[in-house]
Amino acid sequence: MCGIFGYLGGRAASPLLLEGLRRLEYRGYDSAGIAILNSKITVNKCIGRVADLESIVPAELHGSIGIGHTRWATHGGVTDANAHPHMSEDGKIAIIHNGIIENSRALRRWLTAEGILLKSETDSEVIAHLIHRAVGDGLSPVNAVRRALRHTRGTWGLCALFAEERIIVCARNGSPLVVGIGDGESFISSDPQALSAHTQQVIFLEDGDMAVLSPSGVETCRLDGGSSDASVTTIDESWGEADMGDFPHFMLKEIHEQPESLRQCISGRILKSDGNGRLNGLDLTPKELQRIPHIRLLGCGTALHACQVGRLAIEQLARVPALAHVASEFRYNDPVIDSTALYFAVSQSGETADTLSAVKEIQLKGGQVMGVINVVGSSIARQCGRGVYIHSGPEQAVASTKAFTNMVAALTLFSVQIGRARTLSVAQGKKVVQALSKIPDQIERYLANQGPIEEAVEAVKDARHVLFLGRGPSAPVAREGALKLMEIAYIPCLAYPAGEMKHGPIALLEEGSPVVVIAPKDKFRQKTLSNVQECKARGAKIILIHEEGDDEFAEEADIAIAVPKTNGILSPLLTVIPLQLLAYHTGLALGCDVDKPRNLAKSVTVE
Ligand code: M6R
């Protein structure tokens, strides 16, 4: 989604901004632009990639103060004019904005009536004009931004470059902003990852915070006029290091990183002799775990699918009622919040606006939310205060892969931990944690011998639609496989619990329709086998993900892909891998941009 990168210091700003924007590319965007201040502000912006922007930025664009933006269109089409930065009428203020101004239509009407010519269709441009009017009324840059934002409703990560004062004023409300403190220079970004090449000293702005970048340093304050609690923290250098190595795409690299990232996630968190898990970040005693009446897990997309696996693990291992919720729906359904229950917000980026809103709603109503998050220091992690980092390392491809397996692993460890505090025996706990500790090696073994993925690609790549089926923990895996194939290869996909297929989706099946079935050798296998027969009777082509050695089931399939055997509830950690590969190779075969699929963004920071 939209990205922000700004610089103020002694170096040439333009190459730094272009490099910063390049580091934000993985978030997904459709246009880009920069504003550089020399004797005046010069704006260059265009639709397309940062490379397209680079090609129109003149080499002799001097200036050591600037702001840059990658835009993911919300209000107004993908056009050069709608790309950011946007300027005030006198050309002395440039702004870039992430988020949505909800009352922009009214503001645009009012500004037009006041004689201002708006040059774009965006919601963001109004901010430049509102600030300009406030400056015209004699307000300082900070107070001008304050007044402008008091007139707006919505979310913002905002940077305003003031030509006369030679400063950048930033404000955050619902859209992340991080200040980077360098030696005689400062940076602003929507993503700490873009800063880590320059500095590890950062200030995460909170909602309602403002920051002023000037030649004398960085000052923070509050939008309402008070002082801010924001302080300098040190970020982990490794977050900036993600590159493709020897892989042609980030997605493939991240699929192959799963054994190692899983080891990072479970390391130090398994108590083998007690058959227990230990997630210190939750800070819950066995007594507290015993008292939890029910658990709710919230997430979007892939994180939601991890929640759906997690809730089954919690119910199975701890016998505590658990439900998974679509985070974007949660807040608006006026949920009943139980202050004694436990809520988990699950997110790779930790910035997903839908999930963050759900967290705030739960907290407002007195509930306790823990994060299950990848990005350290992200908004959701900080909002929750407590939780589990999944330690996947940077995930750059828009399609989430290694975060899914680590979310499932972390939630399984929690299930064991709460289970052991309640009714799960040492022996049962041991079985699960021992099986979990073997998964990284098993994924490695599978990746070394992936089975007939290319045949599966041939079966789905020209299909009008693909149906994914699974039961029990394989039902969310089916949904995850469908989501992956849909977002990477743009093939319409449908996922159903296998037993539900005969209640509707079966109508889609005709000669040759590809059906992907996830069926490890668990208690659901026999029933799934019956559903496979029902599909075959209608001419469907079965692509089966099954357990090694289950030849009887494999013989029923047109294409059979075997994964190593594991404990039932852990099977998603293995069965998902061939589905990730299927999506990747199908996307590639169809000539799609697998790392940056169209219309999608890596962190979805608007609701
Ligand atoms: O950063 P999050 O885990 O909160 O992101 C949630 C979804 O936006 C994300 O999983 C999305 O569905 C991915 N594109 C799936 O591959």
Side-chain angles (χ1 to χ4, degrees), residues 265-280 282 284-287 289-290 317-318 409-437:
C265 177
I266 62 179
S267 136
R269 289 170 164 176
I270 286 181
L271 302 173
K272 274 199 177 149
S273 55
D274 295 342
N276 208 343
R278 181 179 56 193
L279 296 168
N280 290 336
L282 299 181
L284 288 169
T285 63
K287 277 226 145 29
L289 288 167
Q290 281 160 19
L317 300 174
L411 290 172
T412 308
L413 283 170
F414 170 73
S415 312
V416 174
Q417 191 173 340
I418 185 170
R420 289 287 293 111
R422 298 166 83 118
T423 54
L424 193 73
S425 69
V426 181
Q428 290 165 318
K430 269 186 179 173
K431 257 196 192 165
V432 182
V433 295
Q434 277 167 5
L436 181 59
S437 59

Side-chain angles (χ1 to χ4, degrees), residues 1 23 76 198 224 296 351 450 466 595 598:
M1 204 140 272
R23 285 174 176 268
H198 303 288
D224 63 12
R296 304 295 173 104
E351 300 296 347
Q450 299 173 3
V466 182
D595 277 345
R598 71 179 177 216

Side-chain angles (χ1 to χ4, degrees), residues 233-484:
T233 52
T234 306
I235 52 166
D236 186 350
E237 214 169 334
S238 64
W239 276 93
E241 281 170 5
D243 60 41
M244 274 194 274
D246 292 335
F247 289 92
H249 297 99
F250 278 114
M251 184 177 174
L252 190 63
K253 174 180 179 246
E254 287 158 9
I255 291 172
H256 281 265
E257 279 174 349
Q258 285 174 108
E260 197 41 45
S261 64
L262 211 48
R263 285 186 191 107
Q264 294 294 329
C265 177
I266 62 179
S267 136
R269 289 170 164 176
I270 286 181
L271 302 173
K272 274 199 177 149
S273 55
D274 295 342
N276 208 343
R278 181 179 56 193
L279 296 168
N280 290 336
L282 299 181
D283 200 17
L284 288 169
T285 63
K287 277 226 145 29
E288 286 170 323
L289 288 167
Q290 281 160 19
R291 283 199 291 263
I292 292 170
H294 62 90
I295 293 166
R296 304 295 173 104
L297 304 105
L298 301 102
C300 300
T302 290
L304 173 65
H305 301 147
C307 292
Q308 291 165 347
V309 177
R311 83 130 192 124
L312 291 173
I314 292 167
E315 290 207 340
Q316 184 182 314
L317 300 174
R319 309 306 299 152
V320 181
L323 278 177
H325 291 267
V326 175
S328 56
E329 287 286 291
F330 190 77
R331 174 188 189 179
Y332 299 100
N333 287 334
D334 196 13
V336 178
I337 301 299
D338 179 346
S339 61
T340 62
L342 180 60
Y343 296 81
F344 281 113
V346 182
S347 173
Q348 187 285 128
S349 61
E351 300 296 347
T352 300
D354 292 318
T355 311
L356 184 57
S357 303
V359 169
K360 288 179 180 166
E361 175 74 7
I362 296 164
Q363 291 174 334
L364 192 74
K365 292 182 170 170
Q368 173 170 221
V369 200
M370 307 264 179
V372 178
I373 308 288
N374 190 33
V375 177
V376 177
S378 55
S379 300
I380 300 175
R382 284 179 295 119
Q383 184 71 31
C384 292
R386 271 154 79 181
V388 186
Y389 280 120
I390 62 169
H391 299 309
S392 300
E395 195 182 64
Q396 302 266 310
V398 164
S400 189
T401 53
K402 60 180 180 166
F404 174 81
T405 36
N406 278 23
M407 285 167 184
V408 169
L411 290 172
T412 308
L413 283 170
F414 170 73
S415 312
V416 174
Q417 191 173 340
I418 185 170
R420 289 287 293 111
R422 298 166 83 118
T423 54
L424 193 73
S425 69
V426 181
Q428 290 165 318
K430 269 186 179 173
K431 257 196 192 165
V432 182
V433 295
Q434 277 167 5
L436 181 59
S437 59
K438 285 190 193 140
I439 300 271
D441 289 353
Q442 291 179 309
I443 298 179
E444 243 156 35
R445 190 153 64 76
Y446 167 71
L447 286 171
N449 183 10
Q450 299 173 3
I453 296 286
E454 283 308 326
E455 264 183 67
V457 170
E458 284 307 309
V460 300
K461 80 175 179 17
D462 300 315
R464 281 203 296 152
H465 51 75
V466 182
L467 180 60
F468 286 73
L469 301 175
R471 283 175 181 256
S474 300
V477 177
R479 289 184 204 110
E480 178 58 7
L483 173 68
K484 282 295 90 94

